[in-house]
Amino acid sequence: MPKKTAPHQPDPYSTYNFYVEWDGMINAGFQECTGLNTSQTPTEYREGTDPNTVRKLAGLITYDNITLRRGTTNNKELWEWREKIMNEGDKDNRKSVSIVLMDHQAKEKIRWNLINCWPVTWSGAEMNAMSSDVALETLEFCHEGVTVDSWA
């Protein structure tokens, strides 16, 4: 009887071990990254000689905005990127961004590359004198596509 092995690692990766990279530099310290989604709306089509069913053709591909959250510090890089977009527009201020998921040994396992990113929203921390929560800043950016370099 042949020896059978799973074609993939049977244990899923944890969501806490990731970093975000742009301009070739790692930007760690993000608490949360959401919005890594793609979708494609089918277009219905039928010719007069077709049977009584509708054909489904692939429509436009859309990409959700990515939202990053991190603790507010004296690092003003996210704000400066957003400010450049507000003052100069997005033409020369787009970046290639990678979201990298690592395993529990901090080895890179999956790298999603996002094309032509620019921030559409920046939110400062919500203040509450009755709370001891960490002050979080949020950056939401749009992009025009996703590729995957590695899926180890």
Side-chain angles (χ1 to χ4, degrees):
M1 181 169 194
K3 183 179 179 182
K4 294 184 179 181
T5 58
H8 57 81
Q9 161 133 2
D11 295 329
Y13 303 120
S14 299
T15 62
Y16 68 87
N17 213 359
F18 73 96
Y19 64 88
V20 180
E21 177 182 298
W22 61 74
D23 291 340
M25 297 182 65
I26 295 175
N27 293 278
F30 289 102
Q31 174 182 333
E32 187 177 332
C33 174
T34 60
L36 193 55
N37 303 314
T38 69
S39 61
Q40 192 166 14
T41 305
T43 301
E44 295 184 351
Y45 175 77
R46 183 178 181 280
E47 291 181 357
T49 59
D50 283 349
N52 288 339
T53 58
V54 176
R55 292 188 213 179
K56 303 276 185 169
L57 305 175
L60 294 175
I61 300 168
T62 59
Y63 304 97
D64 288 0
N65 289 350
I66 303 293
T67 302
L68 299 171
R69 287 186 184 83
R70 73 174 183 187
T72 303
T73 66
N74 64 349
N75 182 336
K76 59 185 178 177
E77 184 178 11
L78 297 181
W79 168 251
E80 288 175 340
W81 187 16
R82 176 66 186 134
E83 190 174 40
K84 272 187 160 185
I85 296 294
M86 291 188 300
N87 294 332
E88 302 170 16
D90 68 317
K91 184 176 182 204
D92 295 322
N93 293 310
R94 293 179 180 221
K95 299 178 185 286
S96 293
V97 174
S98 294
I99 299 168
V100 181
L101 181 65
M102 298 178 292
D103 66 9
H104 67 284
Q105 296 174 330
K107 292 181 184 169
E108 182 176 316
K109 291 300 175 179
I110 305 172
R111 175 182 287 265
W112 294 276
N113 299 306
L114 310 172
I115 301 161
N116 288 331
C117 302
W118 58 276
V120 295
T121 304
W122 173 89
S123 301
E126 294 183 15
M127 309 298 175
N128 182 349
M130 299 300 290
S131 172
S132 62
D133 291 343
V134 171
L136 297 178
E137 68 177 326
T138 303
L139 181 74
E140 178 183 344
F141 60 85
C142 62
H143 61 98
E144 296 178 345
V146 178
T147 63
V148 180
D149 275 353
S150 59
W151 202 289

